[in-house]
Amino acid sequence: MNRLSLAVSRAIARVTDFALGPYQTAVLRIGLGLTWLLFLLREYPHRQELYGPAGPWSWDLAAQLVGENDAFTVLLWSDSQVWFEAVYALAVLFSLLLLLGWRTRTMAALFMVGVLTLQNRSVFMGDGGDNVVHIMAVYLVFTRCGRVWSLDARRARRTAEARARGERTPDRAGPALWAVLGFVLLLGSLSGRTDGDWFIPALLWAVWLGQAVWWLVGRLARTDQPRVLLDVVANVVHNGALLVIMAEACLIYATAGWYKVQGSRWQDGTAVHYPLNLEYFSPWPSLAELFTASGTLVMLVTYVTVVVQVAFPFTLFNRRVKNVLLAFMILEHAVIAVVLGLPFFSLAMIAADAVFLPTAFLRRVGRLAVRARERLRPGGHGTAAAVPQQRRPDGAPGGPPAVGPAEAAPVTGKVPGPRT
């Protein structure tokens, strides 16, 4: 009984004291931001046909559908061409800022608004990759995804260094951004523009109020207890969202695998042959012909795909097997991106898969990226000695500093990752 109580207390402490998976959520943030940014830039010449007021799915039809579904989109606030161009440009900007990790808590919310706004405007223009970005963009708002590999983390390090020298570093950009967004939310609420879908406006108000409380507590509280309480709440929300993201990724693969099992073409091992011979999915016909030239290869790829998708959720109990299947799925998505011409679907799925990557592997990748950046800098020596090594609060060597002002440090100061 004592052992059980000790195990439970340790589990509770781990969930409340730590924001688990900081590197995994950072990769998810970077992957989603990059996927949506590249998509918007590639489709910029076709933006009018996809989401514009003069597109085939007219503004009136979109208004009727959104009214029936209670979906959220700010594009229907006006049918003006200027409004459309402004919203599209802001969606590009929010994706870039999320990718860089600038004010990640706020940018995650604005990124979600950009994704939902454009996708809900023309729901029949999307595919499986859009659905993944749509779902993960909502979950990302609840995570503390800027604690590593972000401008927030760099600003936090510089702020800590300045405070150690006795210097004051006032934050003017944060309060200004908070005031502007509050004004926009207030205008949207008073004008009745957010009366359809209640969840997204409520989530935006919660993020806005939460940022205000965090700022006030950080500057007015005379003891550490209020800040500790906010840390615990933020860690619990983050860890719960990370669990949901992992469950969602498993559900996607399990559902896809079990539906494939029921298909006759997947059962006889010929399913992969057909999309490779469709013109829409053959940007490189010669490459597709090379794959379909061998019936044995087509059969093996078909069966292995089904087995991996069905088995993956069950391999989470064995890290080695899970890592092998994860590497295979990432490789498979890379092949799909090239052979079938679905780069954004593949990028979205790889970003979702990243939450299962081992923490040690991600830290190693981070250190290699730092070394590569140092080599590219003028005067860089290209050696490990030229790279300033950061250390985690527990004294172990690690990657970049783990904390940004908008993503506060965990209570105990350690930055663990999930055992994946």
Side-chain angles (χ1 to χ4, degrees):
M1 189 65 182
N2 292 334
R3 291 182 178 179
L4 179 61
S5 300
L6 182 59
V8 172
S9 63
R10 286 179 177 176
I12 294 176
R14 185 173 178 81
V15 172
T16 57
D17 292 351
F18 302 116
L20 301 176
Y23 293 91
Q24 286 79 1
T25 50
V27 174
L28 179 63
R29 183 200 83 233
I30 295 170
L32 292 180
L34 180 63
T35 300
W36 190 240
L37 175 63
L38 293 178
F39 174 80
L40 294 179
L41 293 178
R42 192 196 72 168
E43 299 298 342
Y44 184 80
H46 314 290
R47 65 193 183 283
Q48 297 290 342
E49 291 79 5
L50 289 175
Y51 309 114
W57 189 250
S58 68
W59 193 89
D60 293 333
L61 288 175
Q64 293 178 28
L65 183 61
V66 168
E68 294 176 359
N69 296 340
D70 289 334
F72 178 85
T73 174
V74 303
L75 275 181
L76 297 181
W77 289 8
S78 172
D79 58 355
S80 167
Q81 181 66 30
V82 175
W83 176 247
F84 167 73
E85 295 292 351
V87 170
Y88 198 94
L90 286 175
V92 173
L93 178 62
F94 297 153
S95 302
L96 176 61
L97 293 178
L98 180 71
L99 170 65
L100 297 176
W102 185 79
R103 310 287 174 175
T104 49
R105 182 72 72 182
T106 301
M107 286 305 127
L110 294 177
F111 173 79
M112 175 193 68
V113 170
V115 170
L116 299 185
T117 289
L118 293 175
Q119 291 187 356
N120 289 339
R121 166 62 178 84
S122 300
V123 293
F124 300 109
M125 298 294 182
D127 57 20
D130 292 333
N131 293 335
V132 174
V133 174
H134 188 112
I135 295 171
M136 295 300 175
V138 178
Y139 295 155
L140 195 67
V141 177
F142 297 91
T143 65
R144 308 176 75 175
C145 57
R147 300 178 67 245
V148 297
W149 297 344
S150 66
L151 295 179
D152 282 350
R154 187 181 69 173
R155 187 173 67 252
R157 181 180 71 250
R158 293 180 176 178
T159 300
E161 293 172 353
R163 288 178 178 175
R165 296 191 300 266
E167 301 175 0
R168 295 186 61 185
T169 55
D171 181 13
R172 297 182 178 89
L177 180 63
W178 178 85
V180 171
L181 295 181
F183 179 72
V184 173
L185 275 176
L186 183 61
L187 285 182
S189 300
L190 293 179
S191 62
R193 300 292 187 180
T194 59
D195 289 344
D197 177 27
W198 66 268
F199 176 74
I200 299 301
L203 178 58
L204 294 175
W205 276 114
V207 172
W208 186 79
L209 292 173
Q211 293 287 67
V213 172
W214 197 283
W215 186 87
L216 290 173
V217 168
R219 283 154 181 79
L220 302 180
R222 297 184 178 180
T223 64
D224 292 335
Q225 294 304 317
R227 186 59 178 267
V228 170
L229 176 60
L230 291 180
D231 260 329
V232 169
V233 173
N235 290 337
V236 171
V237 173
H238 166 94
N239 294 330
L242 180 60
L243 178 62
V244 172
I245 290 171
M246 298 173 74
E248 184 69 38
C250 290
L251 182 62
I252 291 173
Y253 282 116
T255 303
W258 285 109
Y259 270 110
K260 287 181 174 67
V261 168
Q262 302 174 45
S264 59
R265 293 294 176 263
W266 291 96
Q267 293 175 6
D268 60 27
T270 61
V272 173
H273 170 82
Y274 296 99
L276 290 174
N277 286 275
L278 293 176
E279 183 178 357
Y280 182 81
F281 294 109
S282 298
W284 314 99
S286 58
L287 189 59
E289 291 176 2
L290 180 63
F291 271 87
T292 56
S294 172
T296 303
L297 178 61
V298 170
M299 182 185 65
L300 287 176
V301 172
T302 302
Y303 286 149
V304 169
T305 299
V306 175
V307 171
V308 168
Q309 290 184 348
V310 173
F312 178 72
F314 302 100
T315 64
L316 298 182
F317 301 101
N318 188 302
R319 285 187 290 166
R320 292 184 178 179
V321 177
K322 182 265 298 181
N323 290 337
V324 171
L325 292 189
L326 186 60
F328 176 83
M329 289 191 299
I330 292 176
L331 177 63
E332 182 182 40
H333 287 306
V335 173
I336 290 174
V338 177
V339 178
L340 296 182
L342 297 172
F344 303 111
F345 166 77
S346 297
L347 279 175
M349 289 305 304
I350 291 174
D353 293 341
V355 298
F356 299 103
L357 290 173
T359 301
F361 169 76
L362 293 177
R363 286 174 175 164
R364 192 177 304 116
V365 170
R367 289 193 291 270
L368 292 175
V370 171
R371 293 191 181 99
R373 183 186 64 186
E374 291 298 321
R375 291 192 182 98
L376 295 177
R377 283 183 175 179
H381 300 291
T383 62
V387 182
Q389 291 292 327
Q390 301 292 337
R391 288 186 174 271
R392 304 201 314 273
D394 57 3
V403 184
E407 312 288 341
V411 176
T412 58
K414 297 181 181 180
V415 186
R419 293 183 61 81
T420 58

